[in-house]
């Protein structure tokens, strides 16, 4: 690989890394054709992990980091002085194929700064995807960023070649978006999401392929003053209105060459982690936004020291302890430290046997956090659930970060 | 009580285990009387057992668990499995549902670790090019991988499905696999030395890996939970890890201490203004966009765009181009188009004065022998094309829009409306005066000559009313907001 291309790759990977999503999941199962390469599986594959602990699944790059927009939170805004570069469509296609053949990646996640016009930029993204599919016989994963300011007919084409489309909302409120991203308009973003939702649903009903792995979005956390409750309300609304597969949360991270408008300090990464946990409670555990918010502080922030499920349980102690041999599935899902899969295994196993504490340990992996909240054939927590110091006892001890 | 010794081949001897289980069950030998030995010898049995006992009928999850756990390295796997099989056959048919049972639990852990091992092989194996790029013929690749369990055969189909057009060899300490673009063959174990020492893209890949790392989020422990150190030696990018971790905190400090920046370049006023001016301003521009887009349904030769004056008073919207339209690139030139021409002439409409277009711009068909038979576009396909149609109408600002047939009505109104009931002038189009009638191809399909004649007369009648409604005296609607 020649040095100029290598340099471009580093610049344009660096410019793309603040997008949290790298998922290669959700595509229908495909295998390579006779003269082609590429396959997909339902769960996706992480081909590597960087020392930030994040998965490297897709070749996540920008076509270019030149940009006409001036979004304060973005390292690529036009007023930033970062090094710029631009790939040709063919370079991206060749690079994707070369990396894919060596089993470095699961596919391509392509986004771009806005150059010339939103339409021109979107056409270039589509060209890459279409060339991979039509000329290179490539059937691996493709995630394309949708540019909401582009003409709507371009979304209609993008979905034909991509497994997943996404538009980043970036900021949880319209006011924040206006303040931080002057060229972006919340209604245009919502219109694009709505259009994608319709097309994805129609294609599914007609058994055609249009962005079969759905659409996702990202919210930046901690760049503006929105509370966790604000963020979660926005997410809940996005899930129900636009049938999003995922909302990604990206704790605002210090960037080189930052704009004056940004806070000087990054929010704790734990805040992002708690939002992801709350998001799971929304989607898989039957929790409502207000239930989760009520377990946080009066300003709408989640507890950083303990996970939101434990926080909710501590504020709703009168509903515990629960008998694992009798309680409904919906209530079992609310026991701290017990996951949805463990609940399913408990429900299956208790049809054949009366579960004891050792059984529950084998089913859940660990019961330390769950002990005060559950009853088994041989265990009753007594009044521990009412203990004043329960929160102190259950909160994880602060861990020293170790570099090696 | 004498123990029965059962010898199996080293590795994942699924066949041997299956035959042994059949024989042992047929002979009524309980688990505690069997001693399982996995060895290199090929002789299956230490003690004589009938070689071909009848197959066992086991619940499907049990069969799956056997296949999933046999590749595990733990010598006790066969004994544990046989124990579970025995209990399933002796009154505990749903045993696997009791995930809390100690034996089931242990096998479940084995199943998981085999699955994980296969997954990690799919994820972390790296191919290297063999021979030069100039070599003729298909590209050849090779990889070295060290799995924890006997998973080679279970893991290889993934690579065959994915890297079909390449020729590749995977070498491991427990065996090798070769794909020749047709089938997989398995061979003896090899060593790292059987695989090239480098690849031309490894430096570029490592550069990508380093660039995609965010030093402000350094968390090496989390990385190692997912990607244990034992994998690193076979992953080219892992060479960058120590330096990335070492430099992370100083890079972050530099970012935090850096002053907010003052842009070095002036605001690109001209480019910003030009950026917003992207909407096609004429039919010619719009049609160029449509032609360049390529078919949204597979198969069409070319896009068939609308035809007629830019400021036509009447727009006719059909369904989609047919066979002849697809080949010539012009709308309404096939049999239905000729019938429309005739009817328009009888109604006093000059085709040159009106704009003719279709809801869908590409021919969708089914190939039957040499003939390409028209296939009706689905509602979703019609939606893909709606934006273009709406933009055409916005640019033309006609006095009247005529929907020919159900697909046109769907495209124009977003609703499915029965033509027989809605035929005639309509208010269903939000921004334009509308008229609904049949598509001329409907007239061609009527089997009965009398019916055809009267339907044609009614169609001409519609067109006469269309002519009147589209007269120059009628107002043009203003462009949609």
């Amino acid at each position: 690989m020649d040095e100029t291309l290598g340099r471009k790759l580093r610049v344009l990977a660096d410019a793309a890394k603040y997008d949290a999503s790298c998922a290669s999941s959700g595509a229908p199962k495909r295998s390579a054709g006779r003269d082609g390469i590429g396959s997909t599986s339902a769960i996706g594959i992480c081909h590597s992990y960087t020392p930030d602990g994040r998965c490297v699944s897709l070749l996540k790059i920008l076509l270019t980091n030149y940009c006409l927009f001036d979004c304060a939170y973005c390292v690529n805004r036009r007023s930033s002085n970062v090094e710029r570069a631009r790939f040709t469509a063919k370079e991206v296609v060749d690079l994707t194929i070369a990396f894919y053949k060596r089993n470095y990646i699961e596919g391509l996640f392509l986004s771009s700064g806005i150059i010339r016009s939103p339409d021109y930029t979107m056409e270039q993204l589509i060209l890459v995807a279409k060339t991979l599919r039509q000329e290179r016989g490539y059937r691996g994963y493709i995630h394309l960023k949708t540019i909401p300011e582009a003409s709507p007919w371009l979304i209609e084409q993008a979905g034909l070649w991509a497994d997943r489309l996404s538009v980043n909302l970036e900021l949880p409120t319209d006011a924040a978006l206006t303040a931080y991203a002057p060229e972006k308009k919340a209604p245009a973003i919502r219109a694009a999401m709505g259009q994608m939702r319709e097309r994805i649903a129609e294609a599914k009903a007609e058994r055609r392929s249009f962005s079969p792995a759905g659409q996702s979005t990202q919210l930046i956390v901690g760049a503006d003053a929105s509370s966790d409750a604000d963020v979660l309300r926005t997410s809940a609304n996005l899930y129900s209105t636009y049938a999003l597969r995922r909302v990604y949360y990206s704790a605002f991270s210090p960037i080189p060459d930052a704009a004056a408008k940004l806070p000087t300090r990054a929010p704790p990464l734990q805040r992002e982690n708690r939002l992801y946990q709350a998001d799971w409670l929304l989607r898989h555990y039957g929790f409502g936004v207000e239930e989760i918010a009520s377990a946080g502080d009066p300003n709408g922030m989640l507890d950083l020291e303990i996970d939101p499920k434990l926080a909710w349980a501590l504020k709703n102690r009168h509903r515990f302890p629960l008998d694992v041999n009798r309680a409904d599935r919906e209530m079992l899902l609310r026991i701290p430290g017990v996951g949805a899969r463990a609940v399913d295994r408990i429900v299956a196993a208790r049809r054949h046997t009366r579960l004891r504490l050792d059984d529950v340990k084998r089913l859940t992996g660990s019961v330390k956090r769950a002990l005060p909240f559950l009853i088994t054939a041989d265990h009753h927590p007594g009044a521990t659930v009412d203990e004043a110091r329960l929160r102190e006892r259950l909160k994880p001890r602060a861990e020293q970060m170790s570099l090696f | 009580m004498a123990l029965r010794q059962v010898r199996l081949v080293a590795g994942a001897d699924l066949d041997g285990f299956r035959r042994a289980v059949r024989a042992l069950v047929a002979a009524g030998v309980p688990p505690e009387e069997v001693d399982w030995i996995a060895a290199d010898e090929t002789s299956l049995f230490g003690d004589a057992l009938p070689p071909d006992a009848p197959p066992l009928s086991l619940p499907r999850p049990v069969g799956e668990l056997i296949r999933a756990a046999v590749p595990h390295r733990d010598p006790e796997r066969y004994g544990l499995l046989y124990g579970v099989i025995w209990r399933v056959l002796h009154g505990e048919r749903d045993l696997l549902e009791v995930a809390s049972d100690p034996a089931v639990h242990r096998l479940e852990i084995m199943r998981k670790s085999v699955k994980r091992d296969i997954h990690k092989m799919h994820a972390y194996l790296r191919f290297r090019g063999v021979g030069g790029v100039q070599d003729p013929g298909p590209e050849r690749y090779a990889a070295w991988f060290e799995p924890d369990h006997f998973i080679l055969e279970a893991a290889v189909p993934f690579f065959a499905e994915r890297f079909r057009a390449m020729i590749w060899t995977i070498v491991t300490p427990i065996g090798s696999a070769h794909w020749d673009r047709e089938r997989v063959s398995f061979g003896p174990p090899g060593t790292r030395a059987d695989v090239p020492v480098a690849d031309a893209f490894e430096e570029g890949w490592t550069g990508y890996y380093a660039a995609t790392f965010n030093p402000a989020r350094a968390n090496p422990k989390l990385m190692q939970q997912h990607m244990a150190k034992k994998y690193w030696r076979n992953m080219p990018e892992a060479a960058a890890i120590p330096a990335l971790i070492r430099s992370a905190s100083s890079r972050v400090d530099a970012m935090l201490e850096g002053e907010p920046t003052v842009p070095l370049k002036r605001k690109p006023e001209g480019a910003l203004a030009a950026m917003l001016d992207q909407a096609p301003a004429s039919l010619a521009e719009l049609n160029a966009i449509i032609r360049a887009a390529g078919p949204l349904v597979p198969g069409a030769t070319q896009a068939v765009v609308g035809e007629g004056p830019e400021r036509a008073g009447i727009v006719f919207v059909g369904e989609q181009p047919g066979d002849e339209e697809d080949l010539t690139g012009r709308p309404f030139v096939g049999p239905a188009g000729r019938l429309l021409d005739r009817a328009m002439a009888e109604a006093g409409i000059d085709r040159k004065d009106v704009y003719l277009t279709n809801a869908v711009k590409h021919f969708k068909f089914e190939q039957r022998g040499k003939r390409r038979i028209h296939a009706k576009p689905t509602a979703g396909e019609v939606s893909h094309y709606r934006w273009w149609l709406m933009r055409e109408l916005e640019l033309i600002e006609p006095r009247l829009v005529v929907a020919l047939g159900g697909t046109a009505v769907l495209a124009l109104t977003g609703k499915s409306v029965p033509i027989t009931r809605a035929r005639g002038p309509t208010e269903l189009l939000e921004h334009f005066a509308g008229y609904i009638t049949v598509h001329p191809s409907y007239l061609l399909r009527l089997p009965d000559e009398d019916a055809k004649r009267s339907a044609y007369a009614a169609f001409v009648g519609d067109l006469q009313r269309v002519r009147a409604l589209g007269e120059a005296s009628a107002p043009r609607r203003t462009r949609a907001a």
Side-chain angles (χ1 to χ4, degrees), chain A residues 135-158:
Chain A
E135 288 172 27
R136 309 299 285 271
Y138 167 80
R139 292 198 186 156
Y141 200 88
I142 298 179
H143 179 160
L144 287 187
K145 190 59 73 185
T146 307
I147 297 167
E149 296 77 17
S151 298
W153 49 76
L154 292 169
I155 289 179
E156 306 290 339
Q157 294 164 53

Side-chain angles (χ1 to χ4, degrees), chain B residues 395-473:
Chain B
L395 287 166
I396 299 168
E397 295 183 281
R399 294 187 193 90
L400 184 69
V401 179
V402 183
L404 299 170
T407 301
V409 175
L410 176 66
L412 288 165
T413 66
K415 298 184 189 79
S416 248
V417 181
I419 301 297
T420 41
R421 225 185 300 151
R423 194 163 179 163
T426 180
E427 291 297 319
L428 284 173
L429 281 62
E430 255 177 63
H431 304 291
F432 303 97
Y435 195 99
I436 294 175
T437 181
V438 295
H439 193 280
S441 65
Y442 160 78
L443 305 173
L444 293 171
R445 285 197 305 271
L446 286 172
D448 177 66
E449 279 306 315
D450 280 347
K452 211 175 231 175
R453 253 192 305 279
S454 66
Y456 178 75
F459 185 58
V460 172
D462 275 336
L463 295 187
Q464 282 163 344
R465 254 160 286 152
V466 162
R467 193 192 65 181
L469 289 167
E471 289 290 335
S473 59

Side-chain angles (χ1 to χ4, degrees), chain A residues 29-47:
Chain A
K29 191 165 165 37
R30 290 192 299 260
S31 326
R34 248 195 96 68
D35 295 309
I37 55 162
S39 59
T40 46
S41 63
I43 55 160
I45 296 175
C46 290
H47 283 270

Side-chain angles (χ1 to χ4, degrees), chain A residues 17 32 38-39 47-49 51-52 60 101-103 106 119 130 149 156 206 257 272 352 362 399, chain B residues 97 100 122-123 126 139 161-162 199 208-209 213-214 217 219 221 237 261 278 293 378 380 384 387:
Chain A
K17 74 182 171 199
S39 59
H47 283 270
S48 197
Y49 287 83
D52 46 25
K60 181 162 60 181
K101 282 182 171 170
R102 285 156 181 81
N103 204 38
E106 200 61 11
D119 274 8
K130 197 171 167 179
E149 296 77 17
E156 306 290 339
E206 294 172 2
D257 210 54
E272 174 190 299
H352 305 282
R362 281 189 288 266
E399 245 182 281
Chain B
E97 284 189 27
S100 53
H122 294 165
R126 300 285 182 257
E139 292 173 87
E161 282 179 12
R162 173 162 292 198
D199 182 278
Y208 169 77
Y209 174 82
F213 162 62
N214 183 350
R217 305 176 59 113
N219 189 349
K221 222 167 128 188
E237 69 272 25
T261 62
Q278 61 176 0
T378 64
H384 283 313
W387 308 98

Side-chain angles (χ1 to χ4, degrees), chain B residues 312-317 354-357 389 393 396 398 400-403:
Chain B
I314 304 171
V315 172
F316 285 89
V317 181
V354 299
Y355 191 83
L356 296 169
T357 192
L389 180 63
L393 297 181
I396 299 168
L400 184 69
V401 179
V402 183

